[in-house]
């Protein structure tokens, strides 16, 4: 085929790929756009020089990072659609999450709730006791002040009432001076009028002289009949025959003291009080009449019934006879004198009870009620003791505006105090009281504080106390929870015994004679994460590591670190294992087995299933916390490095342990160990290692387990015979710089886009890698191209690297199966000769064939592809070969080369001439 046929075949290949794989078109367009943007930014004019510069970029350089970012931005794997939530929903979710976290902390350490609860009880008890004690003290003080105020008011009332009743004493003295009726009757009216004029605020209404118990005269008295003055109806009244007031009259005559009747409703209207005083003459003979004329009833009018003539006192059916004459003292009873006082005037003008209201008190002034009064006024209250209110504050009982004082209007509307209210003092709240006694009369003054005895600040202060107690307790609770969470997080990162040392500002170091260190990582993590959204990677690792953390806690091991997909923990540190190094190693091995078993059945977020490698080594180590910023507890020493090498030289879903660890496990007993033999280990030389394939059920010991474990069926088949080593497979080292390639046929270098239209199929796990003899010889001719396998098992790639002479196999080259995206990719022509030599950092097997034609060597270029995966380009006519375990037929295809189905174990050769090469699988002798 001539050189001019190259573009035509290239175009037909592209069209074929576009027709069968529509997604390939958009994918290649995006890759072209990304690389085109990179070329524009570099302002490169020469297309070949641009590609040379691209392939020659150093891994990790700024240019390489720009290319990676451009491709990554266009080829992100899974698009995660964020669910939009409202602010309220976010707040509620945050509250629910925080509440669950707090409850979890409380369940783990009940002290964080008990201490604030105890503080709450103490604060509530002490605070409320202080508030209520202070309120009680203030209440008592207020009652004491009120009691003193009431007593003072009662004393004032006694004094003023005594002044009001003074005319009765004057009349008594006046009569005893000259008891002769003509003398008394002649001078009494002017004297009585003068007494009325001088009375307190005009409270005295009338003065009466009652010789022999009959009212003979009354001052003032207007007119000549009741039509002129209602007081005329009182003339001729016989007090000794007044059955209703008989007790009061008897009290006045027997005690010879002033007796007060009322307050009561007066016949002439209004409310009044009667002060009655007995007049006795000493010495006087028993038959003395004092010239008092007989009284003829009926002479003044019809109201004086029945008409009769009364000479001396009428003692019929009365208890007064024993008091008429006292033989021991020769004292003769003369009669009575009464003073009628207006209670309305006294209440409104003299008592000054309104002062109590001004001081914030409500009051009731009441007198006892006799049963006969109750029978007449309130029969329903006849049984029991009651008191009639004669004065009260408006706050106790409101009075209608049109109410009167027994037909007598008050000074202002609503100020009337009719005598119709009983037991008003019971409406007062725990009132204080004072008794008022005036010459046998008894009144009781009740009062309470209108605002209440309890201070108004008691309830608010109690509420404030409760709120403060709750807030302080809640604050302490949150502080303790936060501290407990902080300490729990700190203890999860740094052991407890290290924290106290760091707090003192000291450097912590500790040596251990024997510890067992475990390393694990996820197989093909780099490629897998490249095909996932970052959030999916985080979710997957978090879900996996949470399970590992639970296992570490179960087996009483300490997790040292997680770096990406690497998981590291230790047994026998930070606390020295009291059961010995063998027990620590046994727990670590149990942990490793549980990790393998968990990973084999665990479906992670997004439906991912991963495989892990585990390496374990035992030996001395030094634990320390270095640095001051973000301090971390970690182990130092060769033991850690060796454990890492055990993991990197291991196989998926297997536990690779050193001889030291195998010896400790042998001491512990119960584990199934499979010798692996001697293998070269980077930095360690040749080491004898083992596989841990299972353990028996442990009823007791450092880590009991109910069932035996066996992981021998979870890992791939053993290596091919004669193969003793597996090169290291660290994800961090997977970056290749391709060797230079020479095109000797005179054809110009040009970009080629190719797509593998078939995949390599096999009955075994494509993850396995192995060494194989060199593949068949490559065909001669044109430029190399891309060899991809979009139909293969997701995440698989066959790569081959060779540096051989034309038409022959100069040396084996490395080939490997690693994850890659299922879409086709694009790569430009091979790099020019001036680029750096090939650098292989992969665990590989198999060999690429030699380039043919005029090419001096075959080569394969490796650049980064979709989502961080890697793309292999065949050399100039070179054959690319990868090996896979197992038998069967593998289908192969390549652009520009021959496609054939070859049996396992055979070699396939590329067609002579043309651009591209043959992708072959299997192993065989040199072609």
């Amino acid at each position: 085929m001539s050189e001019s046929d190259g573009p035509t075949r290239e175009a037909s290949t592209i069209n074929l790929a576009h027709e069968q794989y529509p997604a390939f078109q958009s994918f290649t367009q995006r890759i072209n756009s990304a690389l085109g943007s990179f070329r524009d930014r570099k302002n490169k004019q020469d297309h070949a020089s641009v590609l040379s510069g691209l392939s020659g970029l150093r891994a990790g350089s700024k240019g390489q990072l720009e290319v990676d970012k451009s491709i990554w931005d266009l080829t992100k794997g899974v698009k995660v659609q964020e669910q939009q939530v409202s602010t309220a929903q976010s707040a509620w979710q945050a509250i629910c999450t925080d509440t669950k976290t707090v409850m979890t902390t409380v369940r783990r350490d009940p002290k964080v709730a008990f201490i604030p609860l105890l503080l709450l009880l103490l604060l509530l008890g002490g605070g409320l006791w202080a508030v209520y004690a202070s309120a009680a003290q203030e209440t008592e003080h207020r009652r004491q002040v009120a009691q003193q105020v009431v007593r003072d008011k009662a004393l004032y009332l006694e004094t003023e009432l005594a002044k009001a009743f003074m005319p009765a004493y004057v009349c008594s003295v006046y009569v005893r001076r000259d008891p002769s009726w003509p003398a008394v009757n002649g001078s009494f009216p002017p004297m009585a009028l003068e007494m009325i004029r001088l009375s307190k605020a005009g409270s005295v209404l009338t003065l009466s002289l009652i010789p022999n118990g009959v009212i003979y005269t009354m001052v003032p008295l207007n007119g000549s009949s009741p039509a002129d003055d209602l007081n005329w109806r009182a003339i001729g009244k016989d007090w000794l025959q007044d059955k209703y007031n008989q007790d009061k009259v008897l009290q006045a005559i027997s005690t010879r003291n002033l007796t007060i009747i009322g307050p009561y409703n007066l016949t002439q209207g209004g409310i009044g009080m009667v002060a009655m005083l007995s007049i006795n003459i000493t010495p006087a003979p028993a038959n003395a009449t004092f010239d008092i004329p007989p009284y003829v009833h009926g002479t003044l009018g019809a109201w004086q019934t029945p008409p009769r003539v009364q000479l001396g006192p009428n003692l019929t059916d009365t208890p007064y006879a024993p008091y008429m004459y006292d033989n021991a003292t020769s004292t003769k009873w003369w009669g009575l004198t009464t003073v009628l006082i207006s209670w309305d005037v006294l209440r409104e003008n003299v008592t000054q009870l309104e002062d109590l209201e001004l001081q914030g008190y409500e009051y009731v002034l009441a007198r006892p009620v006799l049963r006969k009064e109750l029978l007449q006024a309130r029969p329903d209250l006849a049984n029991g003791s009651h008191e009639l209110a004669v004065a009260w504050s408006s706050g106790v009982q409101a009075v209608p505006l049109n109410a009167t004082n027994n037909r007598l209007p008050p000074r202002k509307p609503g100020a009337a105090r009719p005598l119709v209210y009983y037991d008003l003092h019971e409406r007062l709240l725990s009132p204080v009281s004072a008794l008022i006694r005036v010459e046998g009369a008894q009144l009781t003054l009740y009062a309470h504080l209108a605002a209440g005895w309890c201070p108004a600040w008691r309830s608010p202060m109690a509420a404030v106390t409760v709120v403060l107690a709750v807030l302080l307790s809640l604050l302490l609770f949150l502080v303790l929870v936060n501290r407990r969470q902080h300490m729990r997080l700190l203890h999860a990162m740094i052991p407890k015994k290290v924290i106290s040392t760091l707090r003192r500002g000291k450097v912590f170091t500790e040596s251990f004679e024997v510890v067992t260190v475990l390393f694990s990582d996820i197989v093909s993590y780099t490629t897998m994460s490249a095909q996932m959204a970052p959030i999916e990677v985080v979710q997957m690792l978090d879900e996996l590591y949470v399970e590992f953390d639970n296992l570490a806690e179960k087996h009483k091991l300490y997790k040292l670190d997680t770096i990406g997909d690497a998981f590291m923990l230790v047994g026998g540190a930070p606390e020295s294992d009291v059961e010995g190094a063998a027990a620590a190693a046994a727990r670590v091995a149990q942990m490793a087995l549980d990790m393998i078993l968990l990973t084999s059945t665990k479906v992670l977020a997004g439906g991912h299933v991963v495989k892990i490698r585990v390496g374990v080594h035992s030996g001395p180590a030094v634990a320390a916390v270095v640095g001051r910023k973000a301090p971390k507890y970690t182990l130092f020493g060769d033991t850690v490095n060796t454990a890492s090498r055990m993991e990197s030289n291991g196989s998926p879903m297997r536990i690779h342990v050193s001889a030291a660890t195998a010896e400790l496990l042998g001491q512990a007993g119960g584990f199934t160990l499979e010798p692996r033999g001697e293998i070269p280990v980077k930095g360690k030389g040749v080491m004898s290692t083992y596989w841990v394939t299972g353990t028996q059920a442990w009823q007791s010991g450092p880590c009991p387990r109910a069932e035996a474990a066996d992981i021998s069926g979870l890992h791939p088949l053993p290596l091919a015979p004669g193969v003793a080593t597996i090169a290291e497979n660290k994800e961090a080292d997977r970056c290749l710089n391709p060797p230079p390639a020479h095109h000797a046929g005179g054809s110009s270098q040009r970009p080629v886009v190719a797509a593998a239209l078939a995949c390599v199929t096999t009955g075994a796990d494509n993850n396995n890698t192995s060494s194989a003899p060199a593949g068949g010889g490559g065909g001669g001719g044109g430029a190399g191209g891309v060899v991809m396998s979009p139909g293969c098992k997701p995440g698989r790639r066959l790569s081959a690297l060779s540096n051989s002479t034309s038409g022959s196999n100069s040396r084996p080259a490395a080939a490997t199966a690693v994850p890659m995206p299922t879409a086709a990719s694009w790569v430009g022509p091979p790099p020019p000769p001036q680029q750096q030599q090939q650098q292989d950092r992969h665990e590989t097997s198999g060999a690429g064939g030699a380039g043919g034609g005029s090419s001096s060597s075959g080569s394969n270029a490796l650049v980064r592809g979709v989502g961080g995966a890697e793309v292999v380009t065949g050399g100039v006519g070179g054959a690319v070969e990868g090996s896979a375990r197992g038998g069967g037929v593998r289908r192969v295809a390549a652009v520009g080369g021959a496609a054939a189905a070859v049996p396992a174990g055979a070699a396939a050769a590329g067609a002579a001439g043309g651009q591209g090469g043959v992708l072959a699988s299997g192993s065989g002798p040199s072609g």
Side-chain angles (χ1 to χ4, degrees):
M1 181 179 296
S2 66
E3 183 177 329
S4 60
D5 295 334
T8 304
R9 182 159 187 165
E10 174 185 343
S12 62
T13 302
I14 296 176
N15 293 333
L16 178 62
H18 288 181
E19 291 174 359
Q20 297 191 15
Y21 298 95
F24 177 77
Q25 180 179 5
S26 60
F27 176 80
T28 54
Q29 290 175 354
R30 287 185 292 169
I31 297 299
N32 277 316
S33 175
L35 295 179
S37 299
F38 173 75
R39 289 192 296 270
D40 293 340
R41 286 196 299 270
K42 293 299 183 178
N43 295 319
K44 298 295 185 178
Q45 301 297 326
D46 182 63
H47 176 70
S49 63
V50 170
L51 294 179
S52 299
L54 175 61
S55 60
L57 289 175
R58 181 174 53 86
S61 66
K62 182 177 180 181
Q64 179 67 59
L65 293 177
E66 289 178 351
V67 176
D68 292 349
K69 183 178 184 303
S70 299
I71 298 177
W72 170 254
D73 291 340
L74 293 172
T75 60
K76 290 181 181 178
V78 179
K79 295 183 180 179
V80 180
Q81 295 183 354
E82 298 182 359
Q83 182 179 3
Q84 299 295 331
V85 296
S86 64
T87 304
Q89 290 176 330
S90 300
W92 175 249
Q93 292 175 358
I95 292 174
C96 293
T97 302
D98 293 342
T99 302
K100 292 180 180 178
T101 303
V102 170
M103 296 306 297
T104 302
T105 304
V106 171
R107 285 195 300 269
R108 289 177 176 173
D109 190 358
K111 289 189 296 183
V112 299
F114 175 75
I115 294 176
L117 180 61
L118 181 61
L119 176 65
L120 176 63
L121 295 178
L122 292 177
L123 291 177
L124 286 178
L128 293 179
W129 177 84
V131 170
Y132 280 94
S134 300
Q137 185 177 4
E138 177 65 17
T139 299
E140 184 62 26
H141 174 70
R142 292 182 178 186
R143 289 184 65 86
Q144 292 175 358
V145 172
Q147 186 67 56
Q148 188 61 43
V149 170
V150 170
R151 287 176 180 174
D152 293 343
K153 181 58 68 175
L155 181 60
Y156 172 78
L157 291 177
E158 286 182 356
T159 303
E160 293 302 320
L161 289 176
K163 291 179 181 179
F165 301 145
M166 188 62 67
Y169 289 99
V170 174
C171 290
S172 176
V173 171
Y174 178 76
V175 171
R176 287 198 304 269
R177 181 182 62 85
D178 185 358
S180 172
W181 175 250
V184 172
N185 189 44
S187 59
F188 178 73
M191 183 272 297
L193 290 174
E194 185 63 18
M195 293 294 296
I196 292 173
R197 186 183 68 82
L198 297 175
S199 64
K200 189 74 173 179
S203 57
V204 176
L205 299 178
T206 62
L207 287 175
S208 302
L209 284 178
I210 311 171
N212 295 324
V214 179
I215 300 176
Y216 275 66
T217 183
M218 180 183 291
V219 177
L221 195 60
N222 301 317
S224 58
S225 67
D228 301 325
D229 191 340
L230 292 177
N231 287 332
W232 279 101
R233 289 185 174 273
I235 300 301
K237 177 182 179 179
D238 188 355
W239 278 95
L240 298 182
Q241 294 299 315
D242 186 354
K243 302 300 181 182
Y244 188 81
N245 293 310
Q246 189 178 72
D247 56 336
K248 293 295 184 179
V249 175
L250 179 61
Q251 178 182 348
I253 294 175
S254 62
T255 62
R256 299 179 184 181
N257 291 325
L258 185 68
T259 300
I260 298 176
I261 303 173
Y264 64 96
N265 293 324
L266 300 176
T267 304
Q268 62 270 35
I271 300 173
M273 300 175 69
V274 175
M276 181 181 291
L277 185 61
S278 177
I279 301 175
N280 296 275
I281 306 301
T282 303
N287 57 356
T289 62
F290 306 112
D291 299 330
I292 299 174
Y295 190 82
V296 180
H297 294 276
T299 58
L300 295 178
W303 72 87
Q304 293 182 327
T305 57
R308 65 188 185 280
V309 175
Q310 181 177 339
L311 181 63
N314 183 4
L315 300 178
T316 305
D317 298 329
T318 64
Y320 310 122
Y323 307 104
M324 295 296 100
Y325 187 78
D326 185 1
N327 292 322
T329 60
S330 299
T331 300
K332 176 72 174 180
W333 182 70
W334 186 89
L336 301 169
T337 181
T338 60
V339 179
L340 180 61
I341 300 174
S342 173
W343 173 246
D344 298 324
V345 175
L346 283 177
R347 179 177 57 79
E348 294 178 358
N349 301 325
V350 177
T351 59
Q352 299 181 8
L353 291 172
E354 293 81 2
D355 293 345
L356 294 176
E357 294 186 85
L358 297 177
Q359 296 179 50
Y361 296 99
E362 292 180 341
Y363 67 91
V364 173
L365 183 64
R367 68 172 177 85
V369 184
L370 299 178
R371 186 172 185 274
K372 59 184 179 182
E373 295 182 75
L374 293 174
L375 288 173
Q376 185 178 9
R378 291 286 301 274
D380 57 312
L381 301 177
N383 296 324
S385 60
H386 300 275
E387 295 187 20
L388 176 65
V390 297
W392 61 87
S393 58
S394 57
V396 176
Q397 175 62 53
V399 178
L401 297 177
N402 59 351
T404 62
N405 297 318
N406 188 28
R407 306 188 306 276
L408 185 66
R411 291 183 304 172
K412 57 181 180 180
R417 295 296 182 262
L419 302 181
V420 294
Y421 298 105
Y422 295 86
D423 300 327
L424 282 183
H425 64 281
E426 294 182 354
R427 300 184 183 182
L428 303 180
L429 179 63
S430 301
V432 295
S433 62
L435 193 62
I436 303 171
R437 295 181 181 273
V438 182
E439 301 297 343
Q442 178 177 318
L443 296 173
T444 306
L445 178 62
Y446 300 93
H448 82 158
L449 201 61
W453 300 117
C454 180
W457 48 261
R458 187 183 70 174
S459 295
M461 284 299 296
V464 170
T465 301
V466 172
V467 171
L468 289 179
V470 171
L471 288 179
L472 289 176
S473 301
L474 182 60
L475 179 61
L476 177 62
F477 175 71
L478 294 178
V479 169
L480 290 179
V481 168
N482 185 60
R483 175 178 172 79
R484 187 60 58 188
Q485 292 175 345
H486 170 74
M487 294 304 296
R488 180 169 170 268
L489 180 61
L490 190 60
H491 291 161
M493 296 185 296
I494 301 178
K496 295 181 180 179
K497 65 179 182 180
V498 179
I499 297 175
S500 58
T501 303
L502 296 180
R503 284 177 174 173
R504 294 193 295 268
K506 297 181 179 180
V507 177
F508 177 85
T509 57
E510 185 178 12
S511 298
F512 296 94
E513 292 183 0
V514 179
V515 296
T516 301
V517 180
L518 178 148
F519 269 90
S520 76
D521 75 341
I522 300 175
V523 177
S524 302
Y525 167 75
T526 301
T527 307
M528 180 184 299
S529 62
Q531 302 175 39
M532 301 165 58
I535 186 63
E536 281 193 330
V537 176
V538 172
Q539 292 174 351
M540 180 187 72
L541 293 180
D542 178 71
E543 186 175 352
L544 181 63
Y545 287 158
V546 166
E547 297 290 348
F548 287 176
D549 290 342
N550 294 336
L551 291 177
E553 185 175 356
K554 168 187 173 183
H555 294 285
K556 301 177 182 179
L557 302 174
Y558 186 81
K559 184 178 78 171
L560 291 172
D561 203 357
T562 54
I563 304 175
D565 65 323
F567 186 86
M568 176 183 178
L569 59 80
V570 63
E575 301 294 338
S576 298
D577 201 318
V578 296
E579 298 179 355
R587 288 201 304 272
V588 173
Q590 295 269 27
M591 168 78 178
L593 290 169
D594 286 344
M595 291 171 65
I596 297 293
L597 292 174
L598 171 70
T599 309
S600 65
T601 59
K602 183 71 173 178
V603 179
L604 301 176
H608 299 285
V609 178
V610 300
K611 297 182 179 181
I612 63 172
R613 281 185 298 268
V614 180
V616 183
H617 178 62
S618 302
V622 174
V625 177
V626 294
R628 293 295 178 266
K629 298 296 183 180
K632 181 191 300 183
Y633 178 86
T634 187
L635 294 181
F636 297 90
D638 185 65
T639 300
V640 179
N641 298 331
T642 304
S644 176
R645 296 305 178 189
M646 291 296 101
E647 176 271 321
S648 61
N649 286 275
S651 293
M653 304 302 285
R654 304 201 75 173
I655 303 172
H656 191 204
V657 300
S658 65
T661 302
E663 181 180 355
L664 293 176
L665 294 180
Q667 297 176 10
F671 289 93
T672 304
L673 298 174
E674 177 185 329
R676 182 180 181 182
E678 294 184 348
I679 63 171
V681 177
K682 181 179 178 181
K684 301 295 293 182
V686 177
M687 293 184 64
S688 178
T689 60
Y690 297 81
W691 304 110
V692 177
T693 59
T695 181
Q696 66 183 18
W698 290 42
Q699 300 300 327
S700 61
C703 191
R705 64 187 304 144
E707 298 179 356
D710 184 10
I711 64 170
S712 59
L714 300 179
H715 57 80
L717 296 176
L719 296 176
V723 179
T725 63
I726 292 181
E728 294 189 19
N729 187 5
K730 296 298 291 180
E731 297 291 347
D733 295 337
R734 293 182 177 175
C735 181
L736 298 177
N737 291 321
H742 300 277
H743 190 280
S747 60
S748 61
Q749 302 178 9
R750 58 179 60 88
V752 178
V753 177
L757 305 181
C759 69
V760 179
T761 59
T762 178
D765 191 341
N766 288 337
N767 268 329
N768 298 325
T769 59
S770 62
S771 299
V786 178
V787 181
M788 292 291 295
S789 160
C792 291
K793 183 176 180 179
R796 296 287 174 252
R797 186 206 66 187
L798 292 180
S799 65
L801 302 172
S802 67
N803 189 6
S804 58
T805 58
S806 175
S808 65
N809 296 313
S810 62
R811 64 177 178 89
T816 185
V818 296
M820 71 174 299
T822 57
S825 182
W826 178 92
V827 173
Q834 65 267 23
Q835 295 301 324
Q836 58 185 345
Q837 63 182 2
Q838 172 186 352
Q839 183 178 0
D840 180 11
R841 299 180 183 176
H842 281 271
E843 175 185 332
T844 59
S845 64
S854 61
S855 176
S856 61
S857 63
S859 64
N860 295 291
L862 179 67
V863 299
R864 191 160 299 277
V866 181
E870 295 164 350
V871 178
V872 179
T873 62
V876 181
V880 180
E881 178 184 6
S883 66
R885 202 178 304 279
V889 177
R890 285 115 173 129
R891 292 185 295 119
V892 297
V895 179
V902 298
Q915 301 177 9
V918 177
L919 172 63
S921 64
S923 60
S926 298

